[in-house]
Amino acid sequence: MIGRLNHVAIAVADLAKATSTYRDTLGAKVSEPQAEPDHGVTVVFVNLQNTKIELLEPLGDNSPIAKFLEKNPSGGIHHVCYEVDDIIAARDQMKAMGARVLGDGEPKIGAHGKPVLFLHPKDFCGTLTELEQA
Ligand code: CO
């Protein structure tokens, strides 16, 4: 059911430093920082040939990645995102298989302007998993 890997998200405490690492050390193409107040993060997109890396820095007081960075002060992989054709059908299939959908279970508009859902890490190999309708 899942399609392509859309992105891997890496939480970082210092977005400018992380951007420099990807742009200057690794030689990747990176976007300008994009504030996502609804999601409590500022994002830089690293565009690779076959997928993207999203560098996430906390934005605001209730950022969903603040706790993760407390536990992982040097940053770390926060989630992976897979593409699906139909997010409602995908959600219903996940729930039917006993997987937990986070939040109220309704898709939200993600950083790419497309509907997304998050699945509980305990049901997916210890990894927070995002589905995005491609
Ligand atoms: Co994501």
Side-chain angles (χ1 to χ4, degrees):
M1 187 199 64
I2 62 169
R4 300 194 312 172
L5 173 67
N6 185 276
H7 61 269
V8 175
I10 299 178
V12 301
D14 183 339
L15 189 58
K17 186 166 172 245
T19 302
S20 167
T21 298
Y22 270 85
R23 184 189 54 220
D24 305 327
T25 308
L26 292 170
K29 285 184 188 140
V30 302
S31 75
E32 290 299 313
Q34 184 176 317
E36 300 280 345
D38 291 352
H39 296 274
V41 293
T42 304
V43 188
V44 164
F45 300 100
V46 179
N47 291 299
L48 305 178
Q49 285 183 20
N50 59 344
T51 191
K52 292 185 285 289
I53 303 294
E54 292 185 6
L55 303 173
L56 307 177
E57 181 186 65
L59 175 65
D61 292 334
N62 295 311
S63 174
I65 64 170
K67 273 216 175 81
F68 181 90
L69 281 168
E70 270 172 39
K71 286 186 216 153
N72 304 278
S74 52
I77 293 177
H78 184 261
H79 66 267
V80 295
C81 176
Y82 302 117
E83 296 180 359
V84 296
D85 290 332
D86 179 335
I87 199 153
I88 299 298
R91 175 197 65 190
D92 292 346
Q93 183 177 335
M94 294 298 112
K95 287 166 92 169
M97 299 299 285
R100 286 163 284 185
V101 178
L102 298 187
D104 62 7
E106 294 305 317
K108 290 197 167 52
I109 298 303
H112 312 115
K114 297 185 171 159
V116 302
L117 282 173
F118 284 92
L119 304 170
H120 200 295
K122 287 195 174 149
D123 297 331
F124 293 91
C125 310
T127 305
L128 180 60
T129 300
E130 181 179 17
L131 300 179
E132 178 175 302
Q133 185 166 294

